[in-house]
Amino acid sequence: SQTPTQNLDDFYVTSLPRDAPIIENITSVSITKSSTVALYGICFSVLRSDSSYAIFKCGSALFSDTIKCQPNPSELFQNINIYGAHIDINYVSTTTGTLVHSSLYSKCALRSSVLHNIRTSTGFLLHLSNLCLGCVFHKIKRSTRFFLFFLNEHETLEIHQIDDAKCLVQTVTNKVTCEQTEYIIQFILCSCQLTKIEKQKLLKRQKYSEQKLAISRKRKKCY
């Protein structure tokens, strides 16, 4: 038997309590606007991680194009083209669980999943009943910083910078309005063949194009 504890850090991530929520393997999820924007944000981090405008605008456009062109909305993206850069998407692992506000064990299960996949993933998609959250792992020397983002009820993109997995789980829990909810978490590895210099040149060209377009639109309004 194990003695209950009130501190999430007291659990070993390699061994969950016997009565912790069961995590089972699943195969697919449905594509929604929030999940598409979240996935785009994870892929975009391969090029850059600080443009909420680009993530929302291009992620929403990707969702609209997908609904129009893709007959089966349950098929997951295998790659995304961002400003001409080909981003390959590899789904490292997919699991399910139950998140309960009052259950330390359920929070420990989610935290353990995140910590076990940090080294092999770019980030994750966390699918809840009416919301999908995206998270990017930003590795800094021996520590990892988390960037959590999602579309809120007003369809505005929120981005939260979080310094440890414990706070990450608590932030996610605070976004859940009911006492408990089922979730699906997909860990994703994104890759791009471009070098760092090539990525910088691509982003500069895109920024220049957007500035020219903004000036052109402003002139048209004046006329």
Side-chain angles (χ1 to χ4, degrees):
S1 62
Q2 297 195 15
T3 303
T5 177
Q6 297 300 316
N7 190 345
L8 194 62
D9 293 330
D10 291 341
F11 286 107
Y12 291 105
V13 299
T14 55
S15 178
L16 295 179
R18 184 169 54 187
D19 52 348
I22 297 175
I23 298 179
E24 301 173 348
N25 292 327
I26 62 170
T27 57
S28 64
V29 294
S30 297
I31 293 174
T32 62
K33 185 174 182 179
S34 61
S35 67
T36 305
V37 171
L39 178 61
Y40 190 93
I42 296 173
C43 293
F44 192 81
S45 69
V46 176
L47 302 177
R48 206 174 90 191
S49 60
D50 60 349
S51 179
S52 59
Y53 174 75
I55 294 172
F56 174 75
K57 178 185 175 183
C58 299
S60 299
L62 177 63
F63 173 70
S64 299
D65 292 341
T66 302
I67 294 301
K68 293 176 183 177
C69 305
Q70 188 163 303
N72 185 0
S74 65
E75 293 181 358
L76 301 175
F77 293 96
Q78 300 301 314
N79 55 76
I80 290 179
N81 189 289
I82 301 179
Y83 302 153
H86 186 84
I87 311 296
D88 289 314
I89 304 171
N90 178 29
Y91 296 90
V92 178
S93 64
T94 303
T95 58
T96 64
T98 303
L99 183 60
V100 184
H101 271 267
S102 58
S103 171
L104 186 62
Y105 292 162
S106 72
K107 297 174 186 177
C108 178
L110 178 55
R111 173 176 174 267
S112 297
S113 294
V114 171
L115 293 178
H116 278 309
N117 286 275
I118 283 178
R119 292 184 179 180
T120 57
S121 306
T122 306
F124 65 76
L125 291 177
L126 180 63
H127 303 266
L128 303 171
S129 58
N130 59 348
L131 179 66
C132 181
L133 300 93
C135 182
V136 170
F137 303 148
H138 186 197
K139 302 173 183 67
I140 308 173
K141 294 183 179 180
R142 295 184 179 181
S143 63
T144 301
R145 184 174 296 163
F146 305 93
F147 288 90
L148 186 70
F149 45 88
F150 57 92
L151 289 180
N152 59 27
E153 62 273 16
H154 305 295
E155 289 207 346
T156 300
L157 185 67
E158 291 189 26
I159 300 180
H160 298 266
Q161 179 179 311
I162 304 170
D163 292 331
D164 59 72
K166 179 181 177 181
C167 293
L168 173 69
V169 171
Q170 190 57 52
T171 302
V172 171
T173 304
N174 292 340
K175 298 300 176 184
V176 178
T177 56
C178 53
E179 169 60 21
Q180 70 177 48
T181 183
E182 303 297 319
Y183 64 82
I184 303 171
I185 185 168
Q186 296 174 289
F187 293 95
I188 297 171
L189 177 64
C190 299
S191 59
C192 178
Q193 298 301 317
L194 297 180
T195 64
K196 183 177 180 180
I197 294 177
E198 289 172 333
K199 291 176 183 178
Q200 291 173 345
K201 289 181 178 179
L202 183 149
L203 290 171
K204 286 181 180 179
R205 288 197 302 268
Q206 181 61 30
K207 184 177 181 179
Y208 178 70
S209 298
E210 290 177 352
Q211 288 174 343
K212 286 183 62 178
L213 181 60
I215 293 173
S216 176
R217 288 176 176 173
K218 187 175 181 179
R219 287 175 178 174
K220 287 182 179 179
K221 287 183 179 180
C222 291
Y223 289 115

